Structures are given as C-alpha cells and as structure tokens.
Amino acid sequence: LAIQGYTPDGTVVYWNHASQNIYGYFVNDAVGASLYDLIIPPEMRHKVEVGVRWMFENRTGVPAERLSLRHKDGHLVDVFSTHVVVETAEHGPLHLCLDVNLTEQVQAEKALLESEVRQRIILNALGEGVFGTDTNGCCTFINPAGLALLGFSEAEVIGRNTHSLFHHHHADGTLYPQSECPLWLTAKDGKTRRMEDVFWRKNGELFQVRLTITPTLSEGHIS
C-alpha cells in the first residue's frame, strides 16, 4: 500500500517505500517536493488542487476512485486511490493518499478485451449460426449468420429466451416444452449434445438444424 502525506499546499512530508516502488521517486526526492509536480498529470492538476483544497477546508476525504497518475519516467500508473485528512501534532492537518497499484489488473483486463474482440471477429466470420445463452436460456450473443437464418435483428434476440423465441414447437406443430429442450438440459447437467431438430423463423417458417450444444464452465460451474 503506497502512502503519501502532504500539507495543504501539496508539499510532501511522508513517502513510504511502496510509493517509491509505484512512482519511482526515492524518499529523499519526494519529501519536500510538491505532490502535484511529482505524480499528478498536468491535465489533472487543477481538478486535483481544487479537490485537495476542499478536503482540507472540510477536514474530510472523498470516495475512493481509480486514477492514472504519473511515474517518474513519465508513463502513467493505474491506481485505486483513497484520500483522508488527519490531524497531526507535527504538521497540523495532513492529507494522506493511500494507493494500490492496478497495473497488473489493467493488463489482464486489456488482454481479456483483446481476446473477446478476436472471438467476436471469428464468430462474425463463421458461415454457421452461433448463439449463446445464460443458464436460464436467455440469449447473450448471436452471430450475423444466426440472425440471417432466423430473420430476427440482434435487438430482437439478445436478452430473450431462445426456446420461446425460435424453438417453441416440434416439426409437427406440437408444443415443445422447455423442460425437454436440449439447450435447457445442457445448462442443467453440463453434457454436450448433438442432434437434428427444427427452429422457427420470425415469419413463422420452420427449418431443419443440426445442433451442437456445449456448456461453458467458470471455476468448474456451468455459466
């Protein structure tokens, strides 16, 4: 936990080792310098100065927030920052900034986003219809080929129960209970299923489909 303590004018009076690790400044470089000059990006400076002044005037902190602050070499460091104002015998009112480094989390989020983008590109390029649902059968995604086969728009499908929307009757017109739906069963038992069946287009036409239904697992649980 990186902790910095500074006076109302922004002068640093406390700078722990974790602050050195996150921001690159040694204690001797930081103490006595302006926090604004050390780690606050120029475009944030006015907003931060106003916020700090308000905190000292009201002797209170502000809700914790995610910030991008400046490292000694100029690159930005993502942190989760908490702010409090305390009374001290040596310095009077002191603003304490407590920062947690989020760099690894940000990198992980970026990698996840890039992975999702790649998956979306692949799904959009497939000629076969692909859709996914949550464990209640509500659609969470569907690719363009799937929409073209069904005749629906994406807005008409996302968030809707897929069984009720396009898998509601058998080929002979008899009602297809959701409790017998293979997708619903896979959501319950986690078994992969392959079968031939029929779906119903938006205009009421039925068409033959070859289904492959596979569960997705998160920490060993169907999701």
Side-chain angles (χ1 to χ4, degrees), residues 38-91:
L38 294 176
I39 66 173
I40 305 301
E43 63 274 15
M44 286 177 54
R45 179 161 182 155
H46 176 70
K47 179 181 178 180
V48 173
E49 287 177 336
V50 170
V52 169
R53 186 162 55 248
W54 181 89
M55 282 185 275
F56 274 111
E57 289 173 353
N58 292 275
R59 295 295 194 270
T60 187
V62 294
E65 59 183 328
R66 185 168 175 165
L67 298 174
S68 293
L69 302 180
R70 190 174 60 185
H71 188 274
K72 182 179 180 179
D73 66 13
H75 77 268
L76 294 180
V77 179
D78 290 288
V79 298
F80 191 69
S81 190
T82 303
H83 310 270
V84 295
V85 174
V86 298
E87 293 290 337
T88 68
E90 183 177 358
H91 301 287

Side-chain angles (χ1 to χ4, degrees), residues 93-148:
L94 200 65
H95 186 166
L96 292 181
C97 220
L98 296 82
D99 299 333
V100 176
N101 193 347
L102 295 179
T103 300
E104 290 184 0
Q105 177 181 333
V106 170
Q107 291 173 344
E109 290 173 351
K110 182 180 178 181
L112 178 61
L113 178 60
E114 290 174 349
S115 174
E116 290 173 347
V117 169
R118 286 195 296 271
Q119 291 176 25
R120 176 64 65 176
I121 291 171
I122 293 170
L123 286 172
N124 287 347
L126 284 176
E128 293 80 13
V130 180
F131 68 92
T133 75
D134 60 18
T135 55
N136 293 315
C138 293
C139 187
T140 56
F141 73 84
I142 184 168
N143 72 342
L147 292 171

Side-chain angles (χ1 to χ4, degrees), residues 136-165:
N136 293 315
C138 293
C139 187
T140 56
F141 73 84
I142 184 168
N143 72 342
L147 292 171
L149 286 170
L150 293 165
F152 289 100
S153 69
E154 187 176 46
E156 292 173 314
V157 178
I158 298 299
R160 298 281 302 279
N161 183 284
T162 57
H163 185 79
S164 299
L165 193 62

